[in-house]
């Protein structure tokens, strides 16, 4: 399972999404209680997000919408563990964008409002007044997508201030959050949080610059994130969107 999972994640990263989907559909995975090195549900979400965004870039909005809607409903053979999906806000945002492109404004607005609902329950979001640095990529993404949604919905809030804070992420503060990565032999069991700490602030800053429209600086930061952590799929996705 783990070897096949590595192959699937690699195919997702390089954009061979059809092949990755066939591999995911073609095996009944054994999911043990507790932590697993290969997260089947996350892989299903990732591959359909990458595929959906590819269709979106080609202006094939119906195909994009179909893939994005499938992203959060993994088939039974994957035995995906239930719980909050780390890309839920991201998926809802792009579903809204697909509806918008298809001129279904009401459905687009509904999807964007779901992003607000998803993120509003979190209490660990950094504030827009410069109180502290970002602790992880998930927090940065939540703030990024809520800021984008606020723009879409015309909500006068601190969205731009949050984007500016993201762009000014304190690298030293964030990278020092965890100085002890632990025994290397156990890294695989913590794959979802094993990115090099030095990559996270670059990714966060890249999101901020992207949201502010500074594509040059965003590209620079995402490239730096990938240099520090070459398998950082979120940074790869963000870079491809510029």
């Amino acid at each position: 399972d783990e070897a096949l999972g590595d192959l699937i994640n690699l195919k997702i990263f390089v954009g061979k999404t059809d092949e990755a989907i066939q591999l995911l559909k073609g095996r009944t995975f054994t999911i043990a209680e507790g932590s697993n090195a290969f997260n089947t549900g996350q892989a299903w979400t990732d591959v359909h997000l990458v595929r959906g965004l590819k269709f979106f870039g080609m202006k094939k909005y119906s195909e994009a919408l179909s893939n994005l809607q499938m992203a959060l409903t993994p088939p039974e053979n994957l035995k995906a563990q239930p719980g909050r999906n780390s890309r839920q806000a991201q998926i809802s945002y792009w579903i809204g964008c697909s509806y918008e492109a298809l001129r279904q404004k009401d459905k687009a607005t509904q999807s964007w409002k779901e992003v607000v609902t998803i993120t509003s329950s979190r209490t660990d979001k950094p504030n827009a007044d410069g109180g502290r640095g970002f602790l992880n990529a998930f927090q940065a993404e939540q703030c990024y997508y809520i800021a984008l949604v606020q723009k879409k919905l015309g909500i006068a809030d601190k969205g731009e201030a949050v984007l500016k804070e993201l762009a000014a992420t304190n690298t030293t503060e964030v990278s020092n959050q965890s100085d002890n990565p632990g025994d290397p032999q156990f890294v695989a069991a913590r794959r979802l949080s094993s990115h090099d700490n030095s990559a996270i602030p670059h990714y966060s800053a890249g999101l901020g610059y992207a949201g502010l429209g500074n594509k040059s600086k965003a590209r620079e930061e995402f490239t730096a994130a990938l240099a520090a952590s070459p398998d950082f799929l979120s940074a790869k996705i963000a870079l491809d969107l510029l």
Side-chain angles (χ1 to χ4, degrees):
D1 283 354
E2 292 182 21
L4 181 59
D6 286 339
L7 178 61
I8 289 169
N9 284 332
L10 180 60
K11 287 184 179 294
I12 295 172
F13 193 89
V14 299
K16 295 184 177 181
T17 54
D18 290 348
E19 294 180 26
I21 290 171
Q22 288 305 310
L23 290 173
L24 284 165
K25 287 181 175 180
R27 181 179 182 85
T28 299
F29 289 83
T30 301
I31 305 299
E33 184 176 353
S35 179
N36 291 276
F38 177 53
N39 187 322
T40 56
Q42 190 65 52
W44 181 262
T45 296
D46 289 347
V47 71
H48 282 90
L49 172 62
V50 171
R51 198 165 183 248
L53 291 177
K54 181 179 180 180
F55 280 125
F56 191 92
M58 297 166 63
K59 298 184 179 181
K60 295 182 177 181
Y61 302 119
S62 294
E63 290 90 340
L65 179 61
S66 177
N67 274 273
L68 292 165
Q69 289 175 328
M70 284 191 289
L72 299 176
T73 54
E76 186 176 346
N77 69 290
L78 296 184
K79 297 182 180 179
Q81 294 178 324
R84 182 191 296 273
N85 190 292
S86 65
R87 296 197 188 279
Q88 193 171 357
Q90 187 176 8
I91 295 293
S92 294
Y93 172 76
W94 283 107
I95 285 176
C97 291
S98 298
Y99 276 128
E100 181 185 41
L102 292 169
R103 299 184 179 182
Q104 299 184 45
K105 186 64 176 178
D106 289 345
K107 289 185 177 180
T109 299
Q110 181 181 348
S111 293
W112 290 328
K113 286 183 177 179
E114 288 177 4
V115 178
V116 178
T117 302
I118 292 165
T119 58
S120 63
S121 62
R122 297 192 59 82
T123 59
D124 55 353
K125 293 184 293 184
N127 59 63
D129 301 319
R132 59 180 175 85
F134 291 89
L135 299 181
N136 55 53
F138 178 74
Q139 288 177 305
E141 287 173 352
Q142 300 302 292
C143 292
Y144 173 67
Y145 284 104
I146 194 66
L148 294 188
V149 162
Q150 287 172 347
K151 287 185 179 181
K152 290 288 190 181
L153 298 177
I155 299 174
D157 204 336
K158 297 181 178 180
E160 186 170 351
V162 169
L163 291 172
K164 288 180 178 179
E165 186 186 357
L166 276 168
T169 299
N170 187 316
T171 302
T172 302
E173 181 178 349
V174 179
S175 63
N176 285 338
Q177 292 295 326
S178 178
D179 296 322
N180 181 11
D183 191 327
Q185 68 175 314
F186 295 115
V187 170
R190 296 181 285 108
R191 183 166 299 169
L192 292 180
S193 60
S194 65
H195 293 305
D196 189 314
N197 284 327
S198 63
I200 303 299
H202 287 299
Y203 175 59
S204 299
L207 291 177
Y209 284 122
L212 293 170
N214 191 335
K215 291 186 177 182
S216 177
K217 288 292 293 182
R219 186 173 291 108
E220 179 182 320
E221 294 292 349
F222 292 142
T223 300
L226 285 166
S229 186
D231 66 340
F232 199 165
L233 180 61
S234 292
K236 173 72 160 47
I237 291 172
L239 182 61
D240 289 344
L241 286 172
L242 293 177

